[in-house]
Amino acid sequence: MKRFISFSAILLLLSFSACAESSVAVPTAIPLELASAAPSPSPTPTPARVIAVFGAEDAEDFLAGVRTAAEADGNIVEILPVGGGLNALTTDSAMEADAAIVFLSGNAALPKTTLPVYVFAADGQTVSADVPHLTYNAVAAPKLALDSALSYPPHLAPVRMIGLFTSQSSAAYLIWSDAKANGTVFAKQEFFLDASEGSLADWLNETLPLFYPGMLDAIYAETGALAVSAAESLASLGRDDIEVFSAGSDTNANAKLSPILVCAVGESLSDAGECCYGEAVKLLSGGSAQSGELSPEAFWYSKNP
């Protein structure tokens, strides 16, 4: 009897245990709603630094050189041409820039400004040593132009030439005189602007007909103005048997090259612009810009520029 009661008790306990297990509630997972992250603010772009260019209204090649250098530098600097001449350096326009490039020509004086400045002395002017600058040095131009005339095919020494000069004391005439002395130049006629009572055009119109084709090889001119006038006189006379060589690029002579005016020696304004940008950009970071000189080069007429 005791065994029967014990066995019944065990069965009763097992039934209670099974009921307990079946009634236990399994916790349900509650999805968590994640808060969306706030968008990061867009970084504020750094404003481009600005280099203003003053005095270059009539020097397109110079300004083009500045822009070419800026493009090669990744356009990290904005180029701002400013009209109104050098006086604009003292106006509100200048305050929009971080530095300035100044194209100095003629007798223009450099105004005082608070901007860091780099100057191009296009006519070889003297610039204060405390202002970084590039200066055109034309000392070698007369010889380069004459050498170009002497070596131009089919010229043979002595080259038969007419010389056009501002005066007998000019550097170009001294070089010409040396060439006459050493036999490389055969001077047919010489013109001196300071001693002439008439215009160069009148003198050329009287002189050139004295030499029929084959008697003259070339005309050597000290300045661009003299060279352009000579080329115009030759063209009006229908003379294409004589070439003109200029030791200057004034009056934009290097842009007026032709089958008659075949060579003009002067400054490369595009090279000057590139050089000025390269130095002026140093001023933006507080660096020191270097001063230097620009040497003349020969520009030649080409049928396919």
Side-chain angles (χ1 to χ4, degrees), residues 25 46 52 82 88 112 141-142 214 221 254 283 286 289:
T46 303
V82 179
K112 291 184 178 180
N254 57 340
L283 301 174

Side-chain angles (χ1 to χ4, degrees), residues 46-54 66 69-70 73-80 94-101 114-118 132 276-290:
T46 303
R49 308 301 297 276
V50 176
I51 294 180
V53 182
F54 298 86
V66 174
D73 204 20
N75 286 317
I76 59 174
V77 175
E78 179 184 348
I79 303 303
L80 177 65
M95 297 304 102
E96 299 177 9
D98 301 294
I101 294 173
T114 58
L115 276 178
V117 169
Y118 194 84
C276 286
Y277 172 85
E279 294 302 321
V281 77
K282 297 176 183 177
L283 301 174
L284 297 177
S285 58
S288 298
Q290 301 298 313

Side-chain angles (χ1 to χ4, degrees), residues 55-73:
E57 294 92 335
D58 297 323
E60 294 181 3
D61 288 348
F62 178 80
L63 188 55
V66 174
R67 286 178 167 146
T68 296
E71 290 173 4
D73 204 20

Side-chain angles (χ1 to χ4, degrees), residues 105-190:
S105 60
N107 297 320
L110 182 65
K112 291 184 178 180
T113 179
T114 58
L115 276 178
V117 169
Y118 194 84
V119 174
F120 175 50
D123 296 321
Q125 305 95 320
T126 299
V127 180
S128 174
D130 60 351
V131 177
H133 58 275
L134 177 69
T135 302
Y136 174 57
N137 187 344
V139 170
K143 187 176 188 307
L144 179 55
L146 187 57
D147 288 345
S148 297
L150 297 178
S151 61
Y152 186 78
H155 297 171
L156 298 174
V159 181
R160 300 162 299 176
M161 304 175 71
I162 288 176
L164 309 176
F165 306 96
T166 57
S167 71
Q168 288 185 315
S169 61
S170 70
Y173 184 67
L174 295 177
I175 292 171
W176 167 272
S177 299
D178 289 341
K180 288 194 301 181
N182 64 31
T184 55
V185 167
F186 183 1
K188 292 289 190 175
Q189 291 283 347
E190 296 175 342

